[in-house]
Amino acid sequence: MAKNTTSLRGKDVLGLKDFSKEEIRLVLDTAKGMKDIIHRDIKKVPALRGKSIVTLFYEPSTRTRTSFETAGKYLGADVVNVTAGTSSIIKGESLRDTLYTLQVMGFDAIVMRHKAEGAAAYAAKVADPVIINAGDGAHAHPSQGLLNLFTIEEHKGHLEGLKAAIIGDISHSRVARSDIQGMRKMGIEVHLAGPKTLLPRYLFEEPGIFVHDRIEEAIKDADVINVLRIQLERQKSGLFPSMREYARIFGLNEKRLTLAKDDVLILHPGPMNKGLEISPYVAYGSNSAIQEQVQNGVAVRMALLALTLTGGND
Ligand code: CP
């Protein structure tokens, strides 16, 4: 097999739209080696010794923030966390001034989550450290898209030619956008289903992407089903009638699961609303890789940090 000569050194990770197929392949292959480190007794290598990383989160997070922190520490970097509620952000400090403050302290990478779409792209424009987007509004969540691809490939052995269904609030989901971009680049056929108010057809229909009104059509013979978290505030804004109605029409339950392939892989980015978008039976059943996604998140984020900060060869 030809060596992948792609380099991500110095690249800002803003969205999978900016990633080539070769760059995605490099991250997935690097993450395989990183996963071995997580399983060692001593989970520490010096790949990023001397590097410093700050996580800057303006929105809540359990998985993403913790896994970036863990990833940096496993690679020997110094990692510091800044959250909006406990920093000078609540005194009114602007994003730009916060970024400059972190930059002059000498951080090599800023991993940031912000409610505004484009916040990470703005940061990449005004600040020198590598910027890794850990979620910006409904725009992108590239490390989640990559860890989903990694988990799928681990189970299926390949990506090209698979059928994936993505179910739920596609419109407001940065996970869905990153999934769609990553999956299409790697040759996965994507089928979307959700309430019409949460899935405008015109935004998504293009080659390789199919929009369905009914979940049953989307998940039929699927290799992978990615169930999205329903953002409960959408109900208050009238975008779906009631939780019970949503669960009845779009919830992934035991009965519906039989429509997909027997070995269908169930993904969910978390946190889950069990009994709403996904039944406990499906969430914890033998087809579910939801817990593995969390562990793979550490491996993929180790790969992203190593590749962007050192090129992966130091
Ligand atoms: N999947 C995800 O982004 O989870 P957190 O909000 O817990 O980081």
Side-chain angles (χ1 to χ4, degrees):
M1 197 186 291
K3 193 172 175 335
N4 189 342
T5 54
T6 309
S7 172
L8 292 179
R9 192 178 188 131
K11 184 179 173 86
D12 297 305
V13 180
L14 306 179
L16 294 187
K17 199 162 168 253
D18 313 325
F19 271 61
S20 67
K21 185 175 179 175
E22 292 70 30
E23 287 174 328
I24 294 175
R25 171 53 48 213
L26 179 63
V27 175
L28 300 183
D29 289 348
T30 306
K32 274 184 211 152
M34 297 300 180
K35 193 161 174 179
D36 293 340
I37 297 170
I38 298 172
H39 287 132
R40 290 182 194 165
D41 271 354
I42 298 172
K43 303 170 183 48
K44 200 83 161 176
V45 295
L48 293 184
R49 193 166 52 197
K51 300 286 184 190
S52 54
I53 298 162
V54 58
T55 69
L56 172 63
F57 275 56
Y58 287 76
E59 284 189 329
S61 167
T62 299
R63 279 149 281 266
T64 312
R65 200 204 57 70
T66 311
S67 57
F68 268 113
E69 179 179 353
T70 308
K73 287 179 172 169
Y74 284 173
L75 293 173
D78 293 310
V79 187
V80 172
N81 301 303
V82 176
T83 52
T86 56
S87 70
S88 288
I89 294 162
I90 52 170
K91 298 179 199 162
E93 188 160 45
S94 69
L95 174 58
R96 189 183 183 125
D97 285 350
T98 304
L99 291 165
Y100 285 163
T101 301
L102 298 173
Q103 176 175 313
V104 296
M105 287 182 190
F107 287 104
D108 299 288
I110 301 175
V111 178
M112 63 175 284
R113 173 172 286 188
H114 199 283
K115 67 177 188 305
E117 293 172 27
Y122 170 77
K125 208 171 278 178
V126 301
D128 294 337
V130 165
I131 301 295
I132 300 187
N133 183 7
D136 60 332
H139 173 242
H141 193 348
S143 60
Q144 181 74 44
L146 289 165
L147 77 88
N148 288 350
L149 288 173
F150 183 84
T151 307
I152 295 168
E153 190 168 62
E154 231 184 11
H155 278 263
K156 303 292 175 191
H158 66 108
L159 297 172
E160 182 87 34
L162 294 176
K163 172 180 175 176
I166 304 176
I167 309 299
D169 182 358
I170 314 280
S171 282
H172 301 96
S173 173
R174 53 195 176 208
V175 175
R177 278 187 175 72
S178 289
D179 273 339
I180 293 168
Q181 288 160 0
M183 285 176 176
R184 286 307 300 136
K185 286 199 172 154
M186 302 314 280
I188 298 178
E189 190 177 283
V190 178
H191 292 254
L192 308 174
K196 281 197 172 87
T197 47
L198 301 176
L199 175 52
R201 228 169 232 279
Y202 67 92
L203 273 183
F204 294 99
E205 259 180 355
E206 55 179 80
I209 305 176
F210 303 86
V211 180
H212 303 275
D213 293 330
R214 299 179 63 238
I215 179 174
E216 287 82 0
E217 294 161 5
I219 66 177
K220 190 169 168 8
D221 298 325
D223 299 290
V224 178
I225 304 176
N226 191 6
V227 183
L228 299 174
R229 181 174 71 87
I230 277 294
Q231 300 174 28
L232 296 173
E233 62 275 21
R234 307 289 165 222
Q235 193 197 336
K236 290 191 202 101
S237 49
L239 292 174
F240 67 94
S242 74
M243 289 196 239
R244 187 185 295 193
E245 191 81 342
Y246 184 88
R248 191 175 65 77
I249 300 174
F250 288 103
L252 186 63
N253 54 31
E254 186 177 356
K255 186 166 170 233
R256 289 200 169 114
L257 197 61
T258 61
L259 295 168
K261 288 196 177 139
D262 289 344
D263 64 348
V264 64
L265 193 69
I266 306 300
L267 304 178
H268 189 301
M272 292 185 273
N273 301 299
K274 290 187 294 293
L276 179 54
E277 69 259 8
I278 191 165
S279 73
Y281 174 90
V282 177
Y284 300 120
S286 57
N287 295 75
S288 172
I290 295 170
Q291 293 305 318
E292 283 170 61
Q293 282 177 273
V294 177
Q295 188 180 83
N296 290 340
V298 179
V300 165
R301 287 162 181 139
M302 287 169 80
L304 276 177
L305 291 171
L307 289 168
T308 54
L309 290 180
T310 70
N313 301 318
D314 294 10

